[in-house]
Amino acid sequence: MFKFTARIAELNIEMNCNYGFTRDFCRDYLTDDGAPDFSISVTEENIDREIEISPYNPSRPYAESICAYREVAEKLPYYDRLVFHGAVISYDNCGYIFTAPSGTGKTTHIRLWHKYIGGVDVVNGDKPILHITENKVNAYATPYAGKEGYQNHSLIELKGICLIEQAKENSIERIEVSDCLSRIMSQIYKPYDAVATVKTLELLDKLLRNIPVYLLKCNMEEDAVKCSFEALTQQSYDERKMPDEN
């Protein structure tokens, strides 16, 4: 048994695992400073179930790491937090989430921001944690950062959510909650526990009352970055883009 504490999203989380993979996976977040806020444990039965439902035939140690994050996600609503499927970038001390079904192009789009705009950093590339209060939302890096491993061990105050759709022409518009609720719901972790589910829905309501949501229809060209940058930041792209190296 491997027992360790990881500090993630400003919470000390004690993890009890059967294999060392999860501890190594969380190595940049390990801490021995302070008591745990909560503990999670992964059983061999949990791992069996994860392997059974996964289309990727994961190894037992890797499957356990997924189980561990799911157990963490079950507890987070009690601490005003939830797991969001999306890529978070920081720019000018503001955070923006780009989200879409896997394979739609969110990672490619944040790469384009990094390529064309100076001062862009990736907070988390896949599964950040959001801390949602009445008037503020912080997005946190986590070790669960997608196959690219994009994460910078930091947090950023969230200022916008951008839904991505593939299209031949680039356009962006701010959309109402009623038009984006089902899409946002599909991108957050929904607990099995009934009380945690209610808390998650309350957090979702706060999130969508505080953070504007945009729908970006885009290709993978520079103009797509200009389109999303100007809508999200309210700044001129031509004034902020990186100088042409050629």
Side-chain angles (χ1 to χ4, degrees):
M1 179 66 70
F2 293 84
K3 181 178 179 178
F4 58 93
T5 300
R7 186 161 181 79
I8 302 173
E10 296 187 297
L11 295 172
N12 283 357
I13 304 168
E14 182 183 86
M15 300 189 184
N16 297 278
C17 298
N18 299 278
Y19 305 94
F21 181 89
T22 304
R23 182 189 60 189
D24 295 340
F25 189 69
C26 297
R27 60 188 176 275
D28 293 333
Y29 296 80
L30 299 181
T31 184
D32 56 8
D33 185 16
D37 291 286
F38 63 86
S39 300
I40 63 100
S41 297
V42 181
T43 67
E44 293 288 358
E45 289 76 16
N46 294 144
I47 299 171
D48 289 339
R49 192 177 309 116
E50 180 63 33
I51 293 173
E52 182 179 343
I53 66 174
S54 174
Y56 305 112
N57 191 30
S59 66
R60 295 191 72 79
Y62 181 77
E64 182 175 58
S65 73
I66 303 303
C67 293
Y69 203 38
R70 184 177 294 113
E71 293 299 316
V72 169
E74 288 285 329
K75 301 276 191 178
L76 289 176
Y78 294 97
Y79 299 85
D80 298 323
R81 292 159 170 83
L82 55 79
V83 173
F84 195 103
H85 176 222
V88 181
I89 63 169
S90 65
Y91 175 78
D92 202 17
N93 296 314
C94 296
Y96 306 99
I97 288 184
F98 294 93
T99 185
S102 296
T104 304
K106 67 179 185 298
T107 301
T108 300
H109 193 73
I110 65 171
R111 284 175 179 160
L112 291 174
W113 267 61
H114 197 271
K115 176 180 178 180
Y116 290 113
I117 303 169
V120 174
D121 198 8
V122 182
V123 176
N124 184 271
D126 192 46
K127 292 183 176 65
I129 291 173
L130 304 186
H131 181 198
I132 303 166
T133 62
E134 286 294 337
N135 301 308
K136 187 177 182 180
V137 179
N138 282 336
Y140 290 84
T142 76
Y144 294 84
K147 61 181 181 295
E148 295 86 5
Y150 293 151
Q151 46 96 16
N152 66 1
H153 318 297
S154 72
L155 67 97
I156 191 70
E157 185 175 351
L158 191 65
K159 295 296 186 179
I161 298 172
C162 189
L163 306 171
I164 294 179
E165 286 184 4
Q166 293 181 349
K168 292 182 179 179
E169 302 295 329
N170 297 304
S171 66
I172 191 168
E173 62 176 334
R174 183 170 175 176
I175 56 178
E176 299 297 326
V177 172
S178 58
D179 295 324
C180 68
L181 183 59
S182 62
R183 298 194 200 198
I184 299 297
M185 279 285 292
S186 69
Q187 301 301 83
I188 65 172
Y189 180 83
K190 293 173 281 296
Y192 293 102
D193 177 77
V195 176
T197 296
V198 171
K199 289 182 177 294
T200 298
L201 294 175
E202 292 171 350
L203 292 171
L204 178 61
D205 178 65
K206 291 179 184 177
L207 174 68
L208 295 179
R209 281 193 284 109
N210 282 289
I211 306 300
V213 180
Y214 297 83
L215 175 61
L216 172 66
K217 298 180 180 180
C218 65
N219 53 38
M220 295 303 154
E221 299 173 0
E222 181 182 357
D223 187 60
V225 180
K226 179 177 181 178
C227 194
S228 61
F229 177 85
E230 293 189 337
L232 291 170
T233 69
Q234 300 298 300
Q235 298 181 34
S236 167
Y237 174 78
D238 291 333
E239 292 178 1
R240 297 289 182 165
K241 72 174 183 177
M242 295 276 282
D244 190 341
E245 295 182 355
N246 295 324

